[in-house]
Amino acid sequence: MRKYKKLKNHKRRAEQWLRRIAERQPWLFAHWQLLKAAGQ
């Protein structure tokens, strides 16, 4: 949220923005997949 001024002070909007990117380009978040697998 600090990096993108339009998301500053908008936690819900920042979460939605990240979720949309993760759905469209999941390869950008390969480390998230590793964390999911480790948590199961």
Side-chain angles (χ1 to χ4, degrees):
M1 290 187 324
R2 287 178 290 179
K3 185 174 179 180
Y4 298 96
K5 289 182 181 180
K6 68 180 182 177
L7 300 175
K8 186 177 182 181
N9 299 322
H10 296 282
K11 189 172 184 176
R12 187 181 311 140
R13 194 182 304 170
E15 289 174 1
Q16 291 171 350
W17 179 78
L18 255 182
R19 193 173 294 119
R20 282 195 310 267
I21 290 178
E23 288 173 1
R24 276 187 273 152
Q25 300 173 335
W27 61 89
L28 294 177
F29 300 94
H31 57 289
W32 287 8
Q33 298 300 324
L34 295 173
L35 290 174
K36 279 185 184 178
Q40 290 180 353

